[in-house]
Amino acid sequence: MDAIEHYDAVDVFIGVDVGKGEHHAVALSRAGKRLFDKAHRMTKRGCEH
């Protein structure tokens, strides 16, 4: 895995897990504080909030 070229300029890191039954998004600050953490269930019509 390559390092982020401008790591010092990044304040928030975002991760997304795309699954068949639900999607999950997480955002972390540089210090590791969880800023956002939410799962979205998938239905036949799309993503539910």
Side-chain angles (χ1 to χ4, degrees), residues 1-6 12-13 16-17 21-25 28-30 33-34 37 39-41 44-45 48-49:
M1 178 179 234
D2 294 334
I4 298 170
E5 187 174 332
H6 298 285
V12 177
F13 296 86
V16 178
D17 180 13
E22 74 176 19
H23 299 336
H24 198 109
L28 301 174
S29 71
R30 176 182 299 282
K33 180 180 178 186
R34 192 172 300 173
D37 186 350
H40 296 280
R41 192 173 75 224
K44 291 181 182 180
R45 295 188 305 173
E48 287 187 357
H49 301 281

